Amino acid sequence: MTPVLEFRNVSRSYKKGVPVLKGVSFSVGEGEIAGLLGRNAAGKTTLIHTAMGLLTPDGGSVRVFGLSPTEHPVEVKRRIGFVSEEQVLPPGSTVAELIAFHRYLFASWDEGLERQLLERFALARGSRIGKLSKGQARQAALVCAVCHRPELLLLDEPA
């Protein structure tokens, strides 16, 4: 069975000779849950961004659903839900507009789950993203990340 997420000997540096990732290898299978634990600047976000295809490894390979996230970005991202602490949402948009955009992108959108999460989080559809607290903005991002029922959910300090 092909792993959902696989890193093989992945290396990545931002400054020459100063590796952030050095020979990272592991895989995550379907139905498994994995957490990345480590001190600040240990490379956790770099690893997640590499899995998303936002960064290219200097060495080694990354496969998501058996595909390279940099060579097949649309196919990979279509199957992933992603929330990052640093994620920037459009401040002038409302929660409803943000959701409508994601609903347009993902044909598998689950409106029942959307209603359930908005109610649980007490997020008003008419609220402007720029007026939400940091926690509420992460909740809106989480709604967008999970309501298309992704096969892989990547959370980078979403709380």
Side-chain angles (χ1 to χ4, degrees), residues 2-4 51 62-72 75-76 79:
T2 303
V4 172
V62 178
R63 293 289 176 265
V64 183
F65 310 110
L67 302 169
S68 164
T70 54
E71 293 173 17
H72 303 278
E75 295 92 328
V76 168
R79 299 168 70 181

Side-chain angles (χ1 to χ4, degrees), residues 15-28:
K15 294 180 186 176
K16 189 173 183 172
V18 184
V20 174
L21 303 175
K22 187 176 179 181
V24 176
S25 296
F26 70 93
S27 64
V28 179

Side-chain angles (χ1 to χ4, degrees), residues 6-10 22-27 47 61:
E6 183 177 29
F7 291 86
R8 283 191 223 142
N9 203 29
V10 172
K22 187 176 179 181
V24 176
S25 296
F26 70 93
S27 64
L47 200 64
S61 67

Side-chain angles (χ1 to χ4, degrees), residues 113-133:
L113 180 58
E114 170 194 326
R115 284 189 298 276
Q116 182 182 20
L117 290 175
L118 288 176
E119 184 177 312
R120 179 179 292 167
F121 296 152
L123 277 176
R125 291 176 182 276
S127 298
R128 295 257 173 233
I129 300 296
K131 300 287 185 186
L132 298 176
S133 70

Side-chain angles (χ1 to χ4, degrees), residues 1-157:
M1 178 187 276
T2 303
V4 172
L5 178 61
E6 183 177 29
F7 291 86
R8 283 191 223 142
N9 203 29
V10 172
S11 299
R12 171 72 185 178
S13 297
Y14 292 103
K15 294 180 186 176
K16 189 173 183 172
V18 184
V20 174
L21 303 175
K22 187 176 179 181
V24 176
S25 296
F26 70 93
S27 64
V28 179
E30 186 175 335
E32 291 184 322
I33 297 171
L36 299 174
L37 303 174
R39 61 177 170 63
N40 287 344
K44 300 177 301 288
T45 296
T46 299
L47 200 64
I48 291 171
H49 285 184
T50 303
M52 288 293 298
L54 302 173
L55 293 173
T56 303
D58 296 333
S61 67
V62 178
R63 293 289 176 265
V64 183
F65 310 110
L67 302 169
S68 164
T70 54
E71 293 173 17
H72 303 278
V74 175
E75 295 92 328
V76 168
K77 286 180 179 73
R78 191 174 280 149
R79 299 168 70 181
I80 295 177
F82 174 62
V83 179
S84 170
E85 180 180 37
E86 301 158 358
Q87 196 167 355
V88 177
L89 302 174
S93 296
T94 64
V95 170
E97 290 167 339
L98 181 67
I99 288 171
F101 176 68
H102 283 81
R103 191 183 297 130
Y104 169 79
L105 291 176
F106 298 102
S108 60
W109 193 264
D110 184 336
E111 292 184 27
L113 180 58
E114 170 194 326
R115 284 189 298 276
Q116 182 182 20
L117 290 175
L118 288 176
E119 184 177 312
R120 179 179 292 167
F121 296 152
L123 277 176
R125 291 176 182 276
S127 298
R128 295 257 173 233
I129 300 296
K131 300 287 185 186
L132 298 176
S133 70
K134 189 174 182 178
Q136 290 171 316
R138 295 293 58 94
Q139 289 172 333
L142 190 60
V143 169
C144 294
V146 301
C147 284
H148 69 281
R149 300 284 185 178
E151 297 170 63
L152 175 62
L153 185 60
L154 297 175
L155 305 173
D156 187 10
E157 300 191 34

